[in-house]
Amino acid sequence: MPTPVLQVQHLVKRFGEFIAVNDISFDIGPGEILGLLGPNGAGKTTTIQMLLGVVTPTSGSIRMFDLDLATNREEILRQVNFCSTYVALPQALTVEENLWVIARLYGLSYIQEQIDDIVKRLEMEEFRYKVTRKLSSGQSTRLGLAKAFLTKPKILFLDEPTASLDPDIAQKIRSFLKEERRSSGLSVLYTSHNMHEMEEMTDRIIFLQRGKIVAEGTAQEIAARFGQVDLEEVFVKLAREK
Amino acid sequence: MTFDLMTFRLISMKFHRIYALVARHLYLYRRSLPRIMEIFYWPFLDLVIWGFITVYLAKFEGQIPGGVTFFIGALILWDILFRSQQGVTISFLEEIWARNLMNLFASPLKPSEFLAATMVMSVFKVLAVSVVMVVCAGLFYSYNIFVIGLWLIPFVLNLVMAGWIIGVLTTALIMRFGQEAEVLAWSMVFLFQPISCVFYPIEVLPGWLQAIAWMNPAAHVFEGMRAVLSTSVSPIVHLAWATGLNLVFLGIVVAVFHWMFEFCREQGLLVRVGE
Ligand SMILES: Nc1ncnc2c1ncn2[C@@H]1O[C@H](COP(=O)(O)OP(=O)(O)OP(=O)(O)O)[C@@H](O)[C@H]1O
Ligand SMILES: [Mg+2]
């Protein structure tokens, strides 16, 4: 078994009395897509924010590439990126300008070539000089992905990347992701409220509920374990349990 | 934070990341007329009003040491401090308004690099405003700020630094208390105006307030300026005090900023400011 690129151990996040993430441990192997599933408020976004170093864990450890995030922030963050439907890039800049700023921020070389390349692969030519504010939601999502892929991350955190997209574009984005994973061995942590997408995309799923891991395995394994036909049924069953 | 740790953080800053942030702001300004106007609006209005006051007061010339035109010079210098502070704070607010903090701080960017970029922006704003004010004062009121001479340079540098101090402090507070504290970006600096002794000498203040004012680097700058203009006394002592106090306070507010930053990361506020 190859060494994991990401290792999370006994991760806890409290906000005052409230426990948003309650002692979770998991890891992600190279080239693996791990799904993070759970009802609203389960702690998925909080977990990703801790992995990105923008929220400090109350306790537990986060290691990536065999380095501790708490002490190697710069080194690690250079090699990871994220995309979330709920975090946009500055609206007043053009697509090109936004990508350029990100490229500088992550210290890329051959910036223009890299931007040209990602713009082409995500079919963004027609709006690349547009102001971000004027993009449609499908176009902004593609920009979000371009931002994430531009820096050639080894681990990618995707927080509901396809929310609010029409099925056609969502499908395109999924194939893009799969292709990237095949060609570059990228590892992904993926959240979504679309169960079919989860089944299609992920190698393995972690089911979070009220900050705790309540199930883990492939979509089929989880469904089988709970005696349900698919993930959606499991989700509804688990979410309604009090 | 020990001094060693701080110097280490400073020298380990990466230029390309500071450059990225500065470029990001320049892109923003390049396309935004309201933002450009905002830089010049207040300084210009101030200059008009104080210009007329000076014209009026010129009738009593001779009774006010240093000449009444000192008011115009004082005004320009005050605006340097004010714009310097704004350059830092508004650059941070822009990131809040654009909800961009998550993008920035999930990248390898360090808080110190972030602050450095806001300071670069502040220098740009100060340059723009100074040029406009100096030219306008010259055209409208035949006022030449360069009568102050070479002393102007170190004093202006100190004013810029004093602006950074208030700017970084304000930024730390807005980060901590969220958007409700935004108004501080425009009001905080005026808390320091009375004890900066911009338009009057420090001895008009009551004794206890004088004691406080002497702790304010800006007060030393303005006292020093008056010394140069009215008595041609060397202001070296004022300059030394201003520089010393500035360095101490800048160190303190940068430490406060880092401390607030860590606090906000703990509370999950960093990704939430602006919501
Ligand atoms: N900064 C914060 N302060 C206090 N509570 C917080 C903070 N951030 C998140 N929480 C709480 O932590 C819990 C988990 O939130 P989180 O956003 O991680 O959920 P999620 O699984 O991403 O949900 P969703 O599916 O709705 O996106 C929620 O109850 C939320 O209110
Ligand atoms: Mg979420």
Side-chain angles (χ1 to χ4, degrees):
Chain A
M1 175 139 176
T3 19
V5 284
L6 181 145
Q7 293 164 289
V8 169
Q9 265 159 21
H10 301 297
L11 193 62
V12 176
K13 183 62 198 177
R14 288 171 185 271
F15 294 109
E17 289 296 289
F18 182 78
I19 307 181
V21 173
N22 193 355
D23 193 12
I24 64 172
S25 304
F26 63 90
D27 47 40
I28 305 181
E32 185 179 31
I33 300 186
L34 180 70
L36 203 51
L37 192 64
N40 293 134
K44 305 181 294 292
T45 300
T46 306
T47 302
I48 290 183
Q49 287 168 344
M50 285 191 278
L51 298 179
L52 286 165
V54 288
V55 168
T56 319
T58 306
S59 63
S61 92
I62 298 172
R63 296 180 70 80
M64 282 178 246
F65 322 114
D66 251 335
L67 298 168
D68 191 334
L69 179 63
T71 47
N72 299 273
R73 184 186 160 77
E74 196 186 337
E75 182 63 34
I76 290 175
L77 291 181
R78 220 196 325 259
Q79 305 176 64
V80 308
N81 212 325
F82 79 100
C83 167
S84 162
T85 306
Y86 306 105
V87 183
L89 288 167
Q91 301 289 299
L93 270 56
T94 66
V95 169
E96 176 90 8
E97 287 166 350
N98 266 320
L99 291 177
W100 197 90
V101 170
I102 292 294
R104 282 269 163 210
L105 212 47
Y106 283 79
L108 301 192
S109 28
Y110 306 106
I111 291 176
Q112 200 55 55
E113 286 86 338
Q114 307 241 37
I115 292 179
D116 288 346
D117 180 56
I118 197 73
V119 161
K120 202 163 143 219
R121 279 196 297 149
L122 281 161
E123 297 168 34
M124 296 166 60
E125 287 98 341
E126 80 199 77
F127 58 89
R128 104 183 249 186
Y129 299 109
K130 258 195 181 178
V131 174
T132 306
R133 186 182 294 112
K134 296 185 178 159
L135 303 186
S136 74
S137 65
Q139 291 171 334
S140 336
T141 305
R142 268 185 278 168
L143 172 58
L145 286 173
K147 170 251 177 197
F149 280 107
L150 176 65
T151 66
K152 301 237 177 339
K154 296 197 178 105
I155 307 176
L156 194 53
F157 301 101
L158 299 175
D159 199 4
E160 302 187 37
T162 55
S164 86
L165 289 185
D166 76 47
D168 171 48
I169 296 180
Q171 183 60 53
K172 273 189 182 154
I173 285 172
R174 287 196 291 268
S175 12
F176 180 82
L177 261 175
K178 285 194 226 160
E179 193 193 303
E180 270 303 309
R181 187 256 290 260
R182 243 195 322 271
S183 62
S184 67
L186 169 77
S187 304
V188 181
L189 184 65
Y190 198 100
T191 84
S192 169
H193 286 299
N194 179 333
M195 296 307 128
H196 302 295
E197 183 168 294
M198 277 301 208
E199 283 164 359
E200 180 193 334
M201 292 299 295
T202 59
D203 301 312
R204 200 155 54 91
I205 289 171
I206 285 176
F207 200 112
L208 268 191
Q209 192 169 25
R210 278 180 250 118
K212 274 194 166 304
I213 296 178
V214 292
E216 193 174 349
T218 65
Q220 292 91 329
E221 282 168 9
I222 292 182
R225 186 162 338 136
F226 287 86
Q228 306 289 335
V229 285
D230 61 16
L231 212 50
E232 185 135 358
E233 297 291 317
V234 178
F235 189 98
V236 172
K237 182 177 188 292
L238 279 175
R240 287 189 185 156
E241 268 173 14
K242 280 283 166 252
Chain B
M1 198 179 321
T2 67
F3 180 73
D4 274 354
L5 189 54
M6 252 187 64
T7 41
F8 176 74
R9 282 194 185 176
L10 287 178
I11 52 177
S12 69
M13 286 197 276
K14 281 277 189 301
F15 176 74
H16 64 83
R17 295 197 287 256
I18 299 172
Y19 181 38
L21 289 187
V22 171
R24 174 249 187 285
H25 286 290
L26 293 181
Y27 286 144
L28 190 65
Y29 278 82
R30 191 167 72 182
R31 219 171 291 110
S32 174
L33 192 60
R35 283 187 175 84
I36 294 174
M37 296 305 291
E38 204 267 341
I39 302 179
F40 300 112
Y41 180 78
W42 293 114
F44 185 76
L45 276 188
D46 275 351
L47 195 63
V48 169
I49 289 170
W50 278 98
F52 286 129
I53 293 176
T54 312
V55 170
Y56 171 65
L57 287 178
K59 294 176 185 168
F60 313 102
E61 186 81 72
Q63 292 166 37
I64 300 171
V68 289
T69 52
F70 176 79
F71 285 121
I72 296 182
L75 181 74
I76 294 176
L77 294 174
W78 171 253
D79 266 317
I80 286 176
L81 187 153
F82 183 37
R83 286 299 131 181
S84 165
Q85 174 265 325
Q86 293 264 289
V88 171
T89 316
I90 304 281
S91 301
F92 175 73
L93 280 179
E94 292 285 4
E95 305 299 8
I96 290 191
W97 294 331
R99 293 152 156 268
N100 197 30
L101 288 176
M102 170 92 181
N103 289 318
L104 297 183
F105 289 115
S107 86
L109 182 74
K110 293 179 187 170
S112 54
E113 292 162 345
F114 178 85
L115 281 184
T118 67
M119 289 172 188
V120 173
M121 284 309 295
S122 124
V123 169
F124 287 169
K125 285 193 179 181
V126 165
L127 279 175
V129 167
S130 317
V131 168
V132 168
M133 287 189 92
V134 167
V135 169
C136 287
L139 285 179
F140 300 161
Y141 310 111
S142 317
Y143 177 75
N144 176 15
I145 193 163
F146 299 106
V147 294
I148 298 171
L150 277 180
W151 287 110
L152 196 59
I153 297 167
F155 277 126
V156 163
L157 291 179
N158 269 290
L159 284 175
V160 170
M161 227 202 287
W164 290 350
I165 292 168
I166 303 172
V168 173
L169 181 64
T170 315
T171 302
L173 290 173
I174 295 174
M175 186 163 65
R176 166 68 183 80
F177 295 103
Q179 224 154 2
E180 288 147 49
E182 240 177 49
V183 63
L184 290 177
W186 291 271
S187 53
M188 186 75 148
V189 69
F190 292 102
L191 187 65
F192 293 88
Q193 196 177 27
I195 53 165
S196 294
C197 306
V198 182
F199 300 108
Y200 43 77
I202 198 163
E203 68 256 18
V204 305
L205 296 180
W208 61 273
L209 202 54
Q210 281 188 32
I212 296 175
W214 283 127
M215 310 247 297
N216 177 7
H220 287 278
V221 171
F222 286 102
E223 279 300 300
M225 292 295 191
R226 267 184 294 271
V228 174
L229 284 177
S230 57
T231 60
S232 306
V233 174
S234 159
I236 193 78
V237 176
H238 286 301
L239 190 61
W241 269 104
T243 312
L245 287 170
N246 264 330
L247 289 174
V248 169
F249 285 130
L250 191 62
I252 292 174
V253 293
V254 168
V256 167
F257 178 88
H258 276 90
W259 176 54
M260 287 290 187
F261 184 84
E262 289 310 323
F263 176 84
C264 289
R265 280 209 304 169
E266 238 150 68
Q267 302 292 311
L269 294 174
L270 198 61
V271 284
R272 298 209 154 204
V273 267
E275 281 178 17

